[in-house]
Coordinates of all heavy atoms in Angstrom, one line a residue:
M18 N 0.8 -1.2 0.0 CA 0.0 0.0 0.0 C 0.9 1.2 0.0 O 1.9 1.3 0.7 CB -0.9 0.0 1.2 CG -1.8 1.2 1.3 SD -2.8 1.1 2.8 CE -3.2 2.8 3.0
T19 N 0.5 2.2 -0.8 CA 1.2 3.5 -0.9 C 0.4 4.5 -0.2 O -0.8 4.6 -0.4 CB 1.5 3.9 -2.3 OG1 2.2 2.9 -3.0 CG2 2.2 5.2 -2.4
L20 N 1.1 5.3 0.7 CA 0.4 6.4 1.4 C 0.8 7.7 0.8 O 2.0 8.0 0.7 CB 0.8 6.3 2.9 CG 0.2 7.4 3.8 CD1 -1.3 7.1 4.0 CD2 0.8 7.4 5.1
R21 N -0.2 8.5 0.4 CA 0.1 9.8 -0.2 C -0.1 10.8 0.8 O -1.1 11.0 1.4 CB -0.8 10.0 -1.4 CG -0.6 9.1 -2.6 CD -1.5 9.4 -3.7 NE -1.5 10.7 -4.2 CZ -0.8 11.2 -5.2 NH1 0.0 10.4 -5.8 NH2 -0.8 12.4 -5.6
V22 N 1.0 11.6 1.1 CA 1.0 12.6 2.1 C 1.3 14.0 1.5 O 2.2 14.1 0.6 CB 2.1 12.3 3.2 CG1 2.1 13.4 4.3 CG2 1.9 11.0 3.9
L23 N 0.5 15.0 1.8 CA 0.7 16.3 1.3 C 0.9 17.3 2.4 O 0.2 17.3 3.4 CB -0.6 16.7 0.5 CG -0.6 18.2 0.0 CD1 0.4 18.4 -1.1 CD2 -2.0 18.5 -0.6
S24 N 2.0 18.1 2.3 CA 2.2 19.2 3.3 C 1.9 20.5 2.6 O 2.4 20.7 1.5 CB 3.7 19.1 3.7 OG 4.0 20.3 4.5
Y25 N 1.1 21.3 3.2 CA 0.6 22.5 2.5 C 0.6 23.7 3.5 O -0.2 23.7 4.5 CB -0.8 22.3 2.0 CG -1.4 23.2 0.9 CD1 -2.3 22.7 0.1 CD2 -1.0 24.5 0.8 CE1 -2.9 23.5 -0.9 CE2 -1.5 25.3 -0.2 CZ -2.4 24.8 -1.0 OH -2.9 25.6 -2.0
N26 N 1.4 24.7 3.2 CA 1.4 25.9 4.0 C 0.3 26.8 3.5 O 0.4 27.4 2.4 CB 2.7 26.6 4.0 CG 2.8 27.8 4.9 OD1 1.8 28.5 5.2 ND2 3.9 28.1 5.4
I27 N -0.8 26.9 4.3 CA -2.0 27.6 3.8 C -1.9 29.1 4.1 O -2.8 29.9 3.8 CB -3.3 27.0 4.3 CG1 -3.4 27.0 5.8 CG2 -3.5 25.6 3.7 CD1 -4.7 26.6 6.3
E28 N -0.8 29.6 4.7 CA -0.5 31.0 5.0 C -1.7 31.7 5.8 O -2.7 32.1 5.2 CB -0.2 31.7 3.7 CG 0.3 33.1 4.0 CD 0.7 33.8 2.8 OE1 0.4 33.4 1.6 OE2 1.3 34.9 2.9
N29 N -1.5 31.8 7.0 CA -2.4 32.6 7.9 C -3.8 32.1 7.8 O -4.8 32.9 7.7 CB -2.3 34.1 7.6 CG -1.0 34.6 8.1 OD1 -0.5 34.3 9.2 ND2 -0.4 35.5 7.3
G30 N -4.0 30.8 7.9 CA -5.4 30.2 7.9 C -6.1 30.0 6.6 O -7.2 29.5 6.6
G31 N -5.5 30.5 5.5 CA -6.2 30.2 4.2 C -7.1 31.3 3.8 O -7.2 31.6 2.6
G32 N -7.9 31.9 4.7 CA -8.8 33.0 4.4 C -9.7 32.7 3.2 O -10.3 31.7 3.0
R33 N -9.7 33.7 2.3 CA -10.5 33.6 1.1 C -10.0 32.6 0.1 O -10.6 32.3 -0.9 CB -10.6 35.0 0.4 CG -11.3 36.0 1.3 CD -11.5 37.3 0.6 NE -12.2 38.2 1.4 CZ -11.9 39.5 1.4 NH1 -11.0 40.1 0.6 NH2 -12.6 40.3 2.2
R34 N -8.8 32.1 0.3 CA -8.2 31.1 -0.6 C -8.6 29.7 -0.3 O -8.2 28.7 -1.0 CB -6.7 31.2 -0.5 CG -6.1 32.5 -1.0 CD -4.6 32.6 -0.9 NE -4.0 31.8 0.2 CZ -3.9 32.3 1.5 NH1 -4.4 33.5 1.8 NH2 -3.4 31.6 2.5
L35 N -9.5 29.4 0.6 CA -10.0 28.1 1.0 C -10.5 27.3 -0.2 O -10.2 26.1 -0.4 CB -11.0 28.1 2.1 CG -10.3 28.4 3.5 CD1 -11.4 28.4 4.5 CD2 -9.3 27.4 3.8
P36 N -11.3 27.9 -1.1 CA -11.8 27.1 -2.3 C -10.6 26.7 -3.2 O -10.6 25.6 -3.7 CB -12.7 28.1 -3.0 CG -13.2 29.0 -2.0 CD -12.0 29.2 -1.0
A37 N -9.6 27.6 -3.4 CA -8.5 27.2 -4.2 C -7.6 26.1 -3.5 O -7.1 25.2 -4.1 CB -7.6 28.4 -4.5
I38 N -7.5 26.2 -2.2 CA -6.8 25.2 -1.4 C -7.5 23.9 -1.5 O -6.8 22.9 -1.7 CB -6.6 25.7 0.1 CG1 -5.7 26.9 0.2 CG2 -6.1 24.6 1.0 CD1 -5.7 27.6 1.5
A39 N -8.8 23.9 -1.4 CA -9.5 22.6 -1.6 C -9.3 22.0 -2.9 O -9.2 20.8 -3.0 CB -11.0 22.9 -1.3
R40 N -9.3 22.8 -4.0 CA -9.1 22.3 -5.3 C -7.7 21.7 -5.4 O -7.6 20.6 -6.0 CB -9.2 23.5 -6.4 CG -10.6 23.8 -6.7 CD -10.7 24.6 -8.0 NE -10.0 25.9 -7.8 CZ -10.5 27.0 -7.3 NH1 -11.8 27.0 -6.8 NH2 -9.9 28.1 -7.2
V41 N -6.7 22.3 -4.9 CA -5.3 21.7 -4.9 C -5.3 20.4 -4.2 O -4.7 19.4 -4.7 CB -4.3 22.7 -4.4 CG1 -2.9 22.0 -4.2 CG2 -4.1 23.9 -5.2
I42 N -5.9 20.3 -3.1 CA -5.9 19.1 -2.3 C -6.6 18.0 -3.0 O -6.2 16.9 -3.2 CB -6.5 19.3 -0.9 CG1 -5.6 20.2 -0.1 CG2 -6.7 18.0 -0.2 CD1 -6.2 20.7 1.3
R43 N -7.8 18.3 -3.6 CA -8.5 17.3 -4.4 C -7.7 16.8 -5.6 O -7.7 15.6 -5.9 CB -9.9 17.9 -4.9 CG -10.9 17.9 -3.9 CD -12.3 18.1 -4.6 NE -13.3 18.4 -3.6 CZ -14.1 17.5 -3.1 NH1 -13.9 16.2 -3.4 NH2 -15.0 17.8 -2.2
Q44 N -7.0 17.7 -6.3 CA -6.3 17.3 -7.4 C -5.1 16.4 -7.1 O -4.8 15.5 -7.8 CB -5.7 18.6 -8.1 CG -6.7 19.4 -8.9 CD -6.1 20.7 -9.3 OE1 -5.0 21.1 -8.9 NE2 -6.9 21.4 -10.2
Q45 N -4.5 16.6 -5.9 CA -3.4 15.8 -5.5 C -3.8 14.4 -4.9 O -3.0 13.5 -4.8 CB -2.5 16.5 -4.4 CG -1.9 17.8 -5.0 CD -1.0 17.5 -6.2 OE1 -0.2 16.5 -6.1 NE2 -1.2 18.2 -7.2
Q46 N -5.1 14.3 -4.5 CA -5.6 13.1 -4.0 C -4.8 12.5 -2.9 O -4.5 11.3 -2.9 CB -5.9 12.1 -5.1 CG -6.8 12.5 -6.1 CD -7.0 11.5 -7.2 OE1 -6.2 10.6 -7.4 NE2 -8.1 11.7 -8.0
P47 N -4.4 13.2 -1.8 CA -3.6 12.7 -0.8 C -4.5 11.9 0.2 O -5.7 12.0 0.3 CB -3.1 13.9 0.0 CG -4.2 14.9 -0.2 CD -4.7 14.6 -1.6
D48 N -3.8 11.0 0.9 CA -4.5 10.2 2.0 C -4.4 11.1 3.3 O -5.4 11.0 4.1 CB -3.8 8.9 2.2 CG -3.9 8.0 1.0 OD1 -5.0 7.8 0.5 OD2 -2.8 7.6 0.5
V49 N -3.4 11.8 3.5 CA -3.1 12.6 4.7 C -2.6 14.0 4.2 O -1.7 14.0 3.3 CB -2.1 11.9 5.6 CG1 -1.9 12.8 6.9 CG2 -2.6 10.5 6.0
V50 N -3.1 15.0 4.9 CA -2.6 16.4 4.6 C -2.2 17.1 5.9 O -2.9 17.1 6.9 CB -3.7 17.2 3.9 CG1 -3.2 18.6 3.6 CG2 -4.3 16.6 2.7
A51 N -1.0 17.6 5.9 CA -0.5 18.5 7.0 C -0.8 19.9 6.6 O -0.1 20.4 5.6 CB 0.9 18.3 7.3
L52 N -1.6 20.7 7.2 CA -1.9 22.1 6.9 C -1.1 22.9 7.9 O -1.4 23.0 9.1 CB -3.4 22.4 7.0 CG -4.3 21.7 6.1 CD1 -5.8 22.0 6.4 CD2 -4.0 22.0 4.6
L53 N -0.1 23.6 7.3 CA 0.8 24.5 8.2 C 0.1 25.9 8.2 O -0.5 26.3 7.2 CB 2.2 24.5 7.6 CG 2.8 23.2 7.3 CD1 4.1 23.4 6.6 CD2 2.9 22.3 8.5
E54 N 0.4 26.6 9.3 CA -0.2 27.9 9.5 C -1.7 27.9 9.5 O -2.4 28.7 9.0 CB 0.3 28.9 8.5 CG 1.7 29.3 8.6 CD 2.1 30.5 7.9 OE1 1.3 31.5 7.7 OE2 3.3 30.6 7.5
A55 N -2.3 26.8 10.2 CA -3.7 26.7 10.3 C -4.2 27.5 11.5 O -4.6 27.0 12.5 CB -4.0 25.2 10.5
T56 N -4.1 28.8 11.3 CA -4.4 29.8 12.4 C -5.9 29.9 12.6 O -6.3 30.5 13.7 CB -3.8 31.1 12.0 OG1 -4.3 31.6 10.8 CG2 -2.3 31.1 11.9
N57 N -6.7 29.5 11.7 CA -8.2 29.7 11.9 C -8.8 28.3 12.0 O -9.0 27.6 10.9 CB -8.8 30.4 10.7 CG -10.3 30.7 10.8 OD1 -11.0 29.9 11.5 ND2 -10.7 31.7 10.2
R58 N -9.1 27.8 13.2 CA -9.6 26.5 13.4 C -10.9 26.2 12.6 O -11.1 25.2 12.0 CB -9.8 26.2 14.9 CG -10.3 24.8 15.2 CD -10.6 24.6 16.6 NE -11.1 23.3 16.9 CZ -10.4 22.4 17.5 NH1 -9.3 22.7 18.1 NH2 -10.9 21.2 17.7
W59 N -11.8 27.2 12.6 CA -13.1 27.0 11.9 C -12.9 26.9 10.4 O -13.7 26.2 9.8 CB -14.0 28.1 12.3 CG -14.2 28.2 13.8 CD1 -13.8 29.2 14.6 CD2 -14.7 27.2 14.7 NE1 -14.0 28.9 15.9 CE2 -14.6 27.6 16.0 CE3 -15.2 25.9 14.4 CZ2 -15.0 26.9 17.1 CZ3 -15.6 25.1 15.5 CH2 -15.5 25.6 16.8
A60 N -11.9 27.5 9.9 CA -11.7 27.4 8.4 C -11.2 26.0 8.1 O -11.7 25.4 7.1 CB -10.6 28.4 8.0
V61 N -10.4 25.4 8.9 CA -9.9 24.1 8.6 C -11.0 23.0 8.9 O -11.1 22.0 8.2 CB -8.5 23.7 9.2 CG1 -7.4 24.5 8.7 CG2 -8.6 23.8 10.7
V62 N -11.9 23.3 9.9 CA -13.0 22.4 10.1 C -13.9 22.4 8.8 O -14.3 21.4 8.4 CB -13.8 22.9 11.3 CG1 -15.2 22.2 11.4 CG2 -13.0 22.6 12.6
A63 N -14.2 23.6 8.3 CA -15.0 23.7 7.1 C -14.3 23.0 5.9 O -14.9 22.3 5.1 CB -15.2 25.2 6.8

């Protein structure tokens, strides 16, 4: 089994870029994602 891991610095919580961040994550099809600078908990919950 291969595990696909993505590390992504979303820069200060992602803000208005969340739809673009979601598109990148979907395109990469990772099993696990580390979101760096996840300063806005509610944004990453969404």
Side-chain angles (χ1 to χ4, degrees):
M18 178 182 161
T19 302
L20 181 70
R21 293 179 56 93
V22 179
L23 174 67
S24 175
Y25 198 153
N26 186 328
I27 61 173
E28 191 178 6
N29 290 318
R33 294 183 180 147
R34 297 181 323 280
L35 286 178
I38 291 167
R40 279 193 301 275
V41 169
I42 293 172
R43 277 195 194 271
Q44 288 171 347
Q45 296 302 311
Q46 299 180 343
D48 298 305
V49 179
V50 181
L52 296 174
L53 311 174
E54 291 194 32
T56 57
N57 183 333
R58 182 183 181 113
W59 303 115
V61 294
V62 166

